[in-house]
């Protein structure tokens, strides 16, 4: 599967999930990353940037002048991201924005020449093992760290429980592995791949915790979760429709609690000339 075949995410969905993403991402990994950042300026490549939520979260947490290069295959998302990126770092230094439209399968060390960091959010699980290898190889050749956030791990907790929870979850996870996608195996695949290229790999839990205050996101996530499960197993359709109605009704009362488990990954190259810490 080519990256160009990865499903497009609508701006509305990306906007809806942004606050949950921001609350979930791991600040602990940033602390491990800081001493390994080269600059100034920091040159940061954001892969599959979408509307730019990773940049809006990370850029204000780093000090010093920054150049953000936003990568996406969707020109409309690139325009949105560029317009909404912050323009000042944690210490007030200037942030400059550039965009690069294209296929992540063409990412190479030359693309990352001079890069301080490669980052992405909710990307690894919609790639193939070959595409993950391409990113790891490019980062290794460029001696560039990677901070890759919010990969699903195939585990969801829903309270109160329903007898169909496990069956829907299993079908959804199988859907995520369709074709050659790594899906919920993304952390294991990426950790092994970056390590094979000599990187030191750290991971940290980054779950969504959704309750009454995230009712709109919970409802939209439920529709997508159940829909993907039915797409993989059409014979579930009747029971899944009734299941979704039950779940949405509970969510509308504010009584549904959902934990969608993700993990963030930090890969530090085997050797790196120490630069100015952010």
């Amino acid at each position: 599967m080519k990256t160009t075949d990865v499903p497009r995410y609508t701006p509305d969905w990306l906007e809806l999930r942004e606050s949950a993403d921001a609350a979930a991402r791991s600040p602990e990994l940033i602390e491990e990353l800081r001493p390994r950042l080269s600059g100034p300026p920091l040159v940061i490549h954001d892969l599959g940037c979408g509307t730019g939520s990773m940049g809006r979260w990370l850029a204000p947490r780093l000090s010093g002048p920054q150049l953000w290069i936003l990568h996406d295959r969707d020109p409309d998302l690139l325009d949105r991201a560029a317009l909404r990126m912050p323009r000042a770092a944690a210490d007030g230094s200037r942030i400059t924005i550039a965009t690069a439209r294209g296929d992540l399968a063409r990412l190479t060390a030359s693309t990352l020449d001079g890069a301080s960091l490669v980052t992405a959010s909710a990307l690894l699980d919609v790639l193939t093992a070959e595409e993950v290898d391409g990113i790891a190889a490019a980062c290794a050749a460029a001696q560039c760290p990677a901070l890759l956030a919010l990969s699903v791990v195939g585990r969801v907790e829903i309270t109160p429980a329903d007898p169909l929870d496990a069956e829907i979850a299993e079908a959804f996870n199988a859907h995520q592995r369709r074709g050659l996608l790594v899906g919920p195996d993304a952390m294991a695949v990426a950790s092994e791949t970056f390590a094979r290229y000599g990187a030191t790999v750290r991971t940290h839990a980054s779950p969504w915790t959704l309750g009454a205050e995230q009712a709109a996101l919970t409802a939209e996530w439920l529709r997508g979760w159940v829909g993907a499960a039915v797409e993989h197993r059409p014979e579930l359709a009747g029971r899944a429709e009734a299941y979704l109605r039950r779940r949405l009704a509970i969510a509308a009362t504010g009584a549904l609690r959902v934990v969608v488990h993700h993990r963030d990954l930090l890969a530090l190259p085997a050797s790196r000339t120490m630069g100015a810490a952010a």
Side-chain angles (χ1 to χ4, degrees):
M1 174 176 176
K2 295 181 181 296
T3 307
T4 48
D5 296 326
V6 172
R8 292 181 182 271
Y9 296 107
T10 67
D12 288 346
W13 167 247
L14 296 175
E15 297 285 352
L16 188 60
R17 64 175 289 169
E18 182 164 350
S19 62
D21 287 349
R25 293 189 189 100
S26 167
E28 293 86 351
L29 293 183
I30 299 178
E31 297 309 311
E32 291 196 50
L33 171 65
R34 289 184 197 280
R36 302 296 296 274
L37 290 171
S38 64
L42 298 178
V43 179
I44 301 172
H45 290 257
D46 186 2
L47 307 182
C49 67
T51 60
S53 66
M54 186 66 173
R56 288 191 291 275
W57 179 80
L58 181 57
R61 288 171 166 77
L62 302 176
S63 297
Q66 302 171 35
L67 168 61
W68 279 74
I69 303 172
L70 308 178
H71 298 256
D72 207 286
R73 62 192 179 88
D74 187 326
D76 293 333
L77 290 179
L78 279 175
D79 289 344
R80 286 172 180 259
L83 285 172
R84 296 182 57 198
M85 279 290 291
R87 294 306 195 265
D91 60 354
S93 296
R94 183 181 178 186
I95 296 174
T96 305
I97 311 301
T99 61
R101 183 185 178 193
D103 188 343
L104 296 184
R106 294 195 293 269
L107 189 71
T108 65
S110 62
T111 309
L112 301 180
D113 185 35
S116 307
L117 176 66
V118 163
T119 193
S121 187
L123 176 68
L124 284 178
D125 44 57
V126 296
L127 300 180
T128 66
E130 182 180 0
E131 289 167 340
V132 175
D133 186 272
I135 293 172
C139 289
Q143 291 287 284
C144 178
L147 178 63
L148 307 171
L150 292 172
S151 296
V152 297
V153 297
R155 189 159 66 94
V156 172
E157 300 171 48
I158 307 180
T159 306
D162 185 282
L164 203 56
D165 287 344
E167 196 169 355
I168 295 291
E170 182 180 2
F172 174 83
N173 288 340
H175 179 270
Q176 294 301 94
R177 295 184 177 103
R178 66 196 182 279
L180 298 175
L181 298 184
V182 294
D185 305 315
M187 273 296 97
V189 170
S191 296
E192 187 278 331
T193 302
F194 276 94
R196 180 158 37 83
Y197 283 99
T200 298
V201 177
R202 302 278 188 266
T203 71
H204 199 281
S206 52
W208 278 357
T209 302
L210 308 180
E213 294 182 357
Q214 297 83 23
L217 175 59
T218 302
E220 193 62 25
W221 173 82
L222 275 167
R223 293 185 183 100
W225 191 60
V226 174
V230 172
E231 184 176 320
H232 183 74
R233 287 186 55 195
E235 69 275 14
L236 282 174
R239 288 186 295 144
E241 183 179 352
Y243 171 86
L244 180 59
R245 286 198 302 268
R246 291 195 301 273
R247 286 320 207 176
L248 289 175
I250 298 172
T253 70
L256 195 71
R257 183 176 183 273
V258 178
V259 180
V260 182
H261 290 273
H262 306 88
R263 289 194 80 82
D264 294 356
L265 179 146
L266 173 64
L268 300 171
S271 61
R272 174 90 179 189
T273 301
M274 297 296 285

